[in-house]
Amino acid sequence: MTSRPAHDTAARLGSWLAAHLAGTGRSVAQVARELGVGEEVVRSWLAGRGSGDGEFARLDTPARLGAWLRARIADSGCTVRELAESTEHVSRVTVYYWLKGEHLPRPPTGDEPDRFDLLLSNPRLGLTLRQRVELDEVRRRLTGTSLNAPPPVADWPDRALPPGDRAFTGRGEELRRLDRLLREHHRGRAVVIAALTGIGGVGKTALAVHWARSRAARSRFAEGCLYVNLNGYAEAPPLGPEQAMARLLEQLGADPETLPAAPEALAARYREGLRGRRLLVVLDNAHAEPQVRPLLPDEPSCLVVVTSRNRLDGLRATHSGITGIALDALTAGEAASLARHLLGLSRGAEEAPVAAFTAACGRLPLAIRIAAANFRTHHARTSSIGEYARVLGGDRLGHLHAGPADPSTSVATVMDWSYRHLTAAAQRTYRLLGLHPGPDASAALAAALTGLDADGLRGPLLELVRANLLAEDAHGRYAFHDLARDHAAALAARTDTADERREAVRRLLDHYVHTAYPAANLLRPSTHELALPLGEPCPGSSPERLAERGAALAWFEAEHAGMSAIAVNQAPGEFDVRVWQAAWALFGFFTAEGRLGEHGGLQRAALAAAERLGAPTAQAHMHRALSWSATRMGRFDDSRTHLLRSLELSLQTGDLVGQAATYNSLAVLDGQQERYAEALDHSRRFLALFETAGNRTGVARGLNVVGWFHAMLGEYDEALVYCERALEACRDLDPRERGVLEPKVWDSLGLVHHRLGDFARARGYYRLTLDRNRELRDRIGEGEALACLGDLHRSSGDPDAAREAWRDALAILTDLGHTAAADVRGKLADLDAESA
């Protein structure tokens, strides 16, 4: 019996399999599961039909593949948008990238969807199974993952390289960058070095090993791979360059007894051993540049991959051709894919518990692996994944360890190894930064926490960034990985005394309050009627001086989350004065930005602090602050309770300005409930009190509010008199206060002229109001002005303009949770009904 050639058998198998798939409608993934093999195997059988010289042979660059796809989409009669919208997991932007020949994805390594394959499978493209398989092979060829590439040496010399990780998933962008590096090396560039850097446990070694064992890398480096663990961050001391050279030479077959002892002679022997050889060299877990430099070959046929928690910036000063690849935590999809694999879950498993599980692990690969092992070993029979995620969230570092016998499987221990290599100043900075609960910190905040000046802090911060214990963004802000923050805070609790930690928090709170209160007055001078007696900041707190409104807004945007968190998290009786002052300062920002629901917890904590202090003025402030959002969110009973208590406290202390501010808030509350007569009475009291107090800003505000409620009662002549007096009073104020108050008066005048039928004048005032509110970034004012413009357009017979203005208003007011959103929504519904 005559045997068939292997390639003929492979081609017949591929043809039969293609016909089977076409006839049954099964997918490659389904067939792979039925046969108990991987998808890669099934695709290799399909690709074995020898189609390399078919219609796609000329698609030898990503740009040519993109051009072919563009033409196919055009022939299909649909647009890129239509194609993307009808393809799950594929966005329009992604398709445009592929059409330009950019960001062509490798086949996924986990159970995440293969977006390229999903696009090819879209029925609108009309591709046959054979075409899809061949185009998939084109993609694989262009990304260095071809199933038809020349096979690597069967007994490829991996030497000391660790085994591959079968659970490896994700890291698509990093793998593409390494593939590009391989192509550059193939084109004859001198020694190319990839530095994979990131926090401990982020998966640097796993990525390096996975890529080193890829088909593309093994095909390129037929003579194999050298690997050495430099122990840069481990329980054992770091490996010296001479020790590392000796181990690498032994992997090349050198007899350790014959290796020279002199460093220069050993280095020469190392260079000689690499000469003319095509080798991949993996230097794992490097500590610093001096440990790595002697190990970098000058042989152009070698390529080097270095992994380190240190950024190794100094290598660029002495070696060209270095590509830095910084690894961050896994994406949400990658983390979920890894967790499902480790937990033995199908892709259809409920997503929320898995997402909570990976979030509790900070999406750090090491943490996910440890948590998954613990769950399967100790918790799977007694709790769900969601319940275990809640347990993890309560004490992440306490749970993220596999056992005392193996310190490498403890997240805290892995981070300890990084910490031990820091200088004393960097260690202290790391610990104290862990006391800050915000998402990130500026250098000024770090200075306040540590009590160091800018010069003294520069070195420790740079050291922490280079060690990948902090990440610095383009705006000069420093952020922890979530688990690193927990680690730093735990170290502070163990290392620094309670007094040292308390003084660090005191400096931070003083920095926040003494920066925020003047900044809040830049945003809304008319909101802060009473200057707070802040006192002097404590030494080392170094408050920032902000001179103009834009800088104040930028500061609050960056700092409000951290400032709120540090104030709320203080134990009762700790820093009560600073807690309520911080809340009052932040109130100016929240009102300016229209953030209705963000500050309730902070204001309640501040009210409790003011009550513990027995400070009636502070309590009155906090009651008014709590009433502000309650009114605008429709909780009118809550608002009135807070305001009546605020009025009572202000009357007790004889605080005229506080009484006036409370009457103003009562007028707004009654106005929201269309109780205009009561609102007018409150606003008259508000005006009279500010006149008695001699507060010019308050008088201008009071005149406008009285005019507004006259208009609400249909008393337009009186309204015009008061509003025009208010506009005149604004001219006597300083530019900042005038800039804030004028749009409120223009809004009132717009309403009056609208009601009087003078649409042109009303439109002019509303436009002025809208433009100024946008300039001030007053989102509530912007939404309300748009709503008024919509009313005006409707009255003047322009329903299309009314619809556009109301839609814009609705988007803003809905986003803010403002009660006025329901009114605007009703007007739009009425307008649509009339059109129908």
Side-chain angles (χ1 to χ4, degrees):
M1 179 173 168
T2 305
S3 63
R4 293 182 179 273
H7 64 82
D8 184 43
T9 302
R12 289 169 61 83
L13 173 62
S15 297
W16 178 88
L17 185 57
H20 174 70
L21 290 173
T24 62
R26 285 179 167 83
S27 68
V28 169
Q30 289 173 318
V31 170
R33 284 195 296 271
E34 290 170 2
L35 297 178
V37 298
E39 288 186 42
E40 297 288 316
V41 175
V42 177
R43 291 187 182 278
S44 69
W45 292 341
L46 289 167
R49 290 175 295 132
S51 59
D53 296 326
E55 63 177 306
F56 304 120
R58 65 182 181 81
L59 304 183
D60 55 357
T61 66
R64 287 181 176 174
L65 174 59
W68 187 92
L69 280 172
R70 185 183 297 276
R72 185 73 184 197
I73 293 170
D75 291 343
S76 73
C78 66
T79 66
V80 171
R81 179 188 294 275
E82 291 168 341
L83 186 66
E85 288 177 349
S86 60
T87 305
E88 191 177 9
H89 302 298
V90 177
S91 70
R92 179 167 53 92
V93 173
T94 296
V95 177
Y96 276 125
Y97 272 129
W98 295 345
L99 299 185
K100 291 191 295 182
E102 298 177 5
H103 304 307
L104 192 62
R106 293 167 59 105
T109 55
D111 62 357
E112 61 266 27
D114 187 342
R115 294 177 298 160
F116 187 76
D117 185 59
L118 288 170
L119 182 75
L120 297 183
S121 303
N122 191 310
R124 294 191 174 202
L125 287 181
L127 295 173
T128 65
L129 176 64
R130 175 178 182 135
Q131 288 175 312
R132 297 204 305 271
V133 170
E134 291 181 355
L135 284 168
D136 177 72
E137 174 58 21
V138 170
R139 179 267 297 261
R140 291 169 179 269
R141 187 173 67 245
L142 294 175
T143 58
T145 55
S146 172
L147 296 167
N148 286 330
V153 177
D155 55 348
W156 186 70
D158 55 5
R159 299 181 174 90
L161 187 69
D165 180 3
R166 297 183 66 180
F168 183 89
T169 189
R171 298 300 186 197
E173 177 58 31
E174 292 83 359
L175 288 167
R176 283 192 290 273
R177 293 185 65 185
L178 287 167
D179 288 342
R180 287 197 294 271
L181 198 70
L182 190 62
R183 289 195 293 272
E184 291 177 17
H185 187 268
H186 183 67
R187 294 183 186 121
R189 285 188 56 182
V191 171
V192 179
I193 305 163
L196 309 181
T197 63
I199 191 173
V202 80
K204 302 178 293 295
T205 300
L207 172 61
V209 171
H210 179 81
W211 183 77
R213 292 188 173 279
S214 70
R215 190 182 187 93
R218 287 185 294 146
S219 298
R220 173 64 184 157
F221 300 104
E223 294 187 69
C225 175
L226 303 180
Y227 171 90
V228 64
N229 182 352
L230 297 174
N231 285 336
Y233 299 88
E235 195 168 18
L239 206 64
E242 290 78 21
Q243 292 174 286
M245 281 184 205
R247 292 188 184 182
L248 293 170
L249 282 167
E250 288 173 28
Q251 292 177 32
L252 289 171
D255 182 350
E257 298 295 329
T258 65
L259 294 178
E264 295 82 1
L266 186 63
R269 180 78 175 272
Y270 176 63
R271 289 193 297 272
E272 178 64 27
L274 296 179
R275 185 164 294 126
R277 306 186 75 162
R278 289 172 55 186
L279 288 165
L280 177 62
V281 181
V282 179
L283 306 176
D284 192 21
N285 196 14
H287 173 241
E289 294 87 341
Q291 187 188 27
V292 173
R293 282 196 186 96
L295 305 177
L296 298 178
D298 53 10
E299 188 61 37
S301 57
C302 293
L303 185 147
V304 182
V305 176
V306 187
T307 77
S308 180
R309 301 184 194 183
N310 187 321
R311 293 200 321 187
L312 302 176
D313 293 333
L315 286 183
R316 291 179 175 81
T318 55
H319 288 75
S320 60
I322 293 181
T323 297
I325 302 178
L327 270 65
D328 202 348
L330 296 172
T331 66
E334 292 171 342
S337 177
L338 176 61
R340 283 194 294 267
H341 181 92
L342 296 171
L343 295 167
L345 301 175
S346 67
R347 181 167 177 78
E350 192 176 348
E351 294 183 6
V354 175
F357 175 85
T358 58
C361 297
R363 302 209 301 267
L364 202 66
L366 174 63
I368 293 172
R369 292 174 183 280
I370 293 170
N374 284 342
F375 175 77
R376 297 191 71 169
T377 303
H378 304 295
H379 300 275
R381 294 182 179 179
T382 58
S383 64
S384 67
I385 293 172
E387 290 168 342
Y388 182 59
R390 287 190 287 275
V391 171
L392 272 179
D395 179 15
R396 295 189 287 187
L397 293 181
H399 289 284
L400 290 174
H401 62 85
D406 185 3
S408 66
T409 56
S410 163
V411 172
T413 301
V414 168
M415 292 182 174
D416 281 343
W417 292 338
S418 294
Y419 172 78
R420 291 172 194 161
H421 287 279
L422 300 173
T423 63
Q427 287 180 343
R428 178 174 179 271
T429 300
Y430 177 72
R431 297 194 307 268
L432 295 182
L433 279 172
L435 302 178
H436 179 243
D440 53 23
S442 65
L445 289 185
L449 274 165
T450 59
L452 297 173
D453 60 19
D455 291 336
L457 187 64
R458 189 174 296 113
L461 285 178
L462 181 59
E463 189 177 345
L464 290 171
V465 170
R466 285 178 173 169
N468 276 301
L469 289 171
L470 283 181
E472 182 183 9
D473 68 14
H475 304 290
R477 298 189 67 80
Y478 300 88
F480 281 114
H481 181 278
D482 286 350
L483 295 177
R485 183 193 308 283
D486 292 353
H487 179 249
L491 281 172
R494 294 200 305 266
T495 308
D496 301 294
T497 68
D499 285 343
E500 287 171 332
R501 298 195 304 274
R502 192 173 190 277
E503 287 307 306
V505 173
R506 182 194 300 278
R507 288 191 298 268
L508 180 61
L509 280 168
D510 271 24
H511 175 90
Y512 270 139
V513 169
H514 283 270
T515 304
Y517 181 68
N521 280 322
L522 288 173
L523 301 184
R524 295 293 293 266
S526 60
T527 300
H528 289 57
E529 297 91 355
L530 182 65
L532 298 181
L534 296 180
E536 290 297 318
C538 66
S541 59
S542 306
E544 299 173 67
R545 306 300 177 198
L546 307 172
E548 51 91 26
R549 192 174 189 279
L553 273 173
W555 186 88
F556 273 116
E557 287 286 357
E559 306 296 357
H560 76 272
M563 186 174 175
S564 294
I566 195 70
V568 167
N569 288 340
Q570 295 311 304
E574 284 283 339
F575 309 114
D576 280 344
V577 171
R578 287 297 184 244
V579 167
W580 86 260
Q581 289 175 344
W584 183 240
L586 280 168
F587 177 59
F589 168 67
F590 290 137
T591 55
E593 289 282 283
R595 298 172 183 248
L596 302 184
E598 290 189 23
H599 61 103
L602 171 63
Q603 303 296 354
R604 285 189 291 274
L607 177 59
E611 288 173 341
R612 285 192 296 270
L613 291 167
T617 300
Q619 293 174 50
H621 283 340
M622 290 302 100
H623 279 295
R624 286 202 304 278
L626 283 162
S627 78
W628 180 80
S629 59
T631 295
R632 286 153 181 82
M633 296 175 74
R635 302 198 307 269
F636 299 138
D637 290 343
D638 290 346
S639 180
R640 192 172 299 278
T641 299
H642 283 299
L643 290 175
L644 292 177
R645 179 57 179 155
S646 176
L647 184 60
E648 180 184 353
L649 290 162
S650 296
L651 287 168
Q652 286 176 11
T653 58
D655 178 7
L656 297 182
V657 175
Q659 294 170 41
T662 306
Y663 277 121
N664 178 48
S665 297
L666 283 165
V668 172
L669 173 60
D670 283 329
Q672 288 279 315
Q673 297 177 280
E674 299 184 359
R675 298 163 58 171
Y676 299 127
E678 294 90 334
L680 180 59
D681 181 58
H682 289 316
S683 63
R684 283 175 172 155
R685 294 184 183 218
F686 163 56
L687 175 59
L689 283 164
F690 270 129
E691 287 174 336
T692 301
N695 186 307
R696 293 189 303 168
T697 303
V699 169
R701 290 173 60 198
L703 289 168
N704 179 57
V705 175
V706 170
W708 172 269
F709 287 116
H710 273 301
M712 290 295 101
L713 290 167
E715 299 163 357
Y716 301 122
D717 291 338
E718 293 89 339
L720 274 177
V721 169
Y722 276 99
C723 291
E724 286 172 352
R725 284 178 60 195
L727 195 59
E728 183 66 29
C730 284
R731 297 192 179 101
D732 295 331
L733 303 178
D734 70 52
R736 282 193 302 113
E737 293 179 324
R738 184 170 69 246
V740 172
L741 285 175
E742 276 182 338
K744 302 184 183 305
V745 182
W746 293 334
D747 181 61
S748 299
L749 288 166
L751 173 76
V752 173
H753 288 294
H754 179 188
R755 297 284 179 87
L756 291 172
D758 190 345
F759 296 154
R761 186 170 293 183
R763 187 177 294 108
Y765 279 123
Y766 282 149
R767 284 291 178 190
L768 284 171
T769 305
L770 180 61
D771 292 344
R772 179 66 63 79
N773 283 330
R774 283 174 171 167
E775 179 186 329
L776 294 172
R777 288 176 54 179
D778 182 343
R779 297 192 71 215
I780 287 182
E782 181 184 357
E784 291 174 343
L786 284 164
C788 290
L789 268 173
D791 295 344
L792 179 64
H793 291 314
R794 186 72 181 93
S795 298
S796 60
D798 191 345
D800 292 337
R803 181 179 287 106
E804 181 179 357
W806 281 337
R807 282 176 175 169
D808 290 345
L810 182 61
I812 294 171
L813 297 171
T814 300
D815 183 50
L816 295 175
H818 200 295
T819 54
D823 183 48
V824 175
R825 190 177 292 109
K827 292 174 181 178
L828 277 168
D830 291 343
L831 189 60
D832 290 340
E834 290 175 17
S835 299

